[in-house]
């Protein structure tokens, strides 16, 4: 347990200082290639729900087996070496720094008034059409992305890392990658990707709610509403989101900043209306991008403290 805690702290520091290994292929890409090859093989014919479930379990199992093998070999060298390798694997699996950099890539051209460049950079991190978006809609896209991925890319991986080490983190990352690649409700994936999407929902259920609560509890309140009022609005708005988990992040950010998230999005020319999160007390501006990054960092710190408390509790009762 102590080794896992130390490895998690090393991983967090690594992600803050280094982030994704420069000029090296990220393990998520390898998982993605595995999913792509297996999807081409299995997403056809009858029994697609069953085929999709078997494929998902195979991908997750393969990922966890590889990480287990790496750790077994590393800990055979020495305890210190094993902890360092596990910390590195955890750090690579966190996305705090990459999320921050992606958000800043949109923020910086906005500061310069270069909306064309900002729209291009936004298109790298969202699926919606960005060509005609004004500043407020560009900002909304970034804030929603950072907010939602605070759980997907930061606190949920930490949740499973603290409980099960790098093996747990990468098992979660495999599920999350499966959901992002095959968890769509369209003709191609609605059956084949159902298990992956549901499994991702289950694994994110607890981390997303803890993270959303910590954002409401621990970030700066930019409104005149009391904590109780904001907490009530957070719980109400979160349930409106089509995702069972993402709403708890976006609603938390919205109520703390006094802004409105959600609304009309366009995907390949098709208009889609997303449920409204929060109340438009102030218009969205580029500075809200920086605020969302701060929210993410605070949530990560508070979530780490919560998980450390959980580890102490587990240690005390065992």
């Amino acid at each position: 347990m102590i080794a896992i805690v130390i490895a998690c702290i090393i991983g967090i520091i690594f992600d803050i200082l280094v982030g994704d290994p420069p000029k090296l292929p990220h393990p998520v890409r390898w998982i993605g290639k595995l999913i792509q090859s297996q999807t081409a093989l299995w997403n056809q014919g009858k029994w697609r729900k069953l085929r999709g479930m078997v494929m998902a379990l195979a991908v997750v199992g393969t990922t966890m087996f590889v990480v287990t093998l790496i750790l077994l070999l590393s800990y055979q060298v020495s305890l210190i070496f094993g902890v360092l390798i596990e910390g590195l694997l955890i750090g690579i699996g966190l996305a705090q720094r990459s999320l921050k950099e992606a958000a800043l890539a949109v923020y910086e051209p906005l500061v310069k008034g270069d909306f064309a460049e900002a729209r291009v950079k936004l298109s790298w991190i969202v699926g919606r059409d960005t060509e005609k978006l004004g500043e407020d809609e560009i900002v909304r896209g970034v804030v929603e992305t950072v907010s939602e991925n605070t759980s997907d890319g930061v606190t949920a991986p930490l949740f499973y890392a603290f409980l099960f080490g790098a093996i747990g983190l990468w098992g979660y990352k495999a599920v999350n990658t499966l959901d992002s690649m095959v968890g769509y409700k369209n003709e191609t994936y609605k059956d084949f990707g159902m298990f992956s999407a549901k499994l991702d929902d289950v694994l994110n259920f607890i981390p997303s709610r803890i993270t959303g609560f910590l954002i409401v509890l621990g970030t700066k309140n930019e409104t005149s509403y009391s904590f109780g009022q904001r907490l009530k609005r957070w719980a109400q708005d979160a349930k409106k989101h089509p995702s069972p988990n993402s709403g708890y992040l976006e609603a938390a950010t919205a109520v703390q900043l006094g802004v409105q998230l959600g609304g009309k999005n366009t995907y390949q020319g098709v208009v889609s209306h997303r449920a409204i999160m929060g109340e438009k007390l102030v218009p969205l501006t580029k500075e809200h991008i920086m605020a969302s990054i701060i929210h993410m960092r605070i949530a990560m710190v508070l979530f780490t403290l919560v998980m450390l408390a959980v580890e102490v509790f587990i240690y005390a009762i065992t």
Side-chain angles (χ1 to χ4, degrees), residues 10 20 162 204 303:
I10 291 172
D20 292 342
F162 270 105
N204 239 319
F303 196 93

Side-chain angles (χ1 to χ4, degrees), residues 83-98:
V83 170
L84 288 173
I85 293 301
E86 186 155 20
L88 178 63
L89 288 171
I90 290 170
I92 293 171
L94 300 176
Q96 180 274 151
R97 186 180 179 93
S98 58

Side-chain angles (χ1 to χ4, degrees), residues 141-205:
V142 178
V143 171
E144 289 174 352
T145 299
V146 173
S147 180
E148 178 180 347
N149 284 284
T150 296
S151 178
D152 281 355
V154 184
T155 57
L158 273 178
F159 181 78
Y160 292 102
F162 270 105
L163 294 180
F164 308 110
I167 299 169
L169 180 147
W170 281 102
Y172 166 78
K173 293 292 287 187
V175 172
N176 195 241
T177 307
L178 280 159
D179 179 55
S180 68
M181 293 184 67
V182 302
Y184 296 102
K185 295 179 181 179
N186 56 28
E187 283 300 315
T188 304
Y189 296 116
K190 67 177 182 179
D191 291 330
F192 187 75
M194 179 182 291
F195 180 80
S196 296
K198 295 297 182 184
L199 185 57
D200 184 70
D201 289 343
V202 170
L203 293 184
N204 239 319
F205 186 89

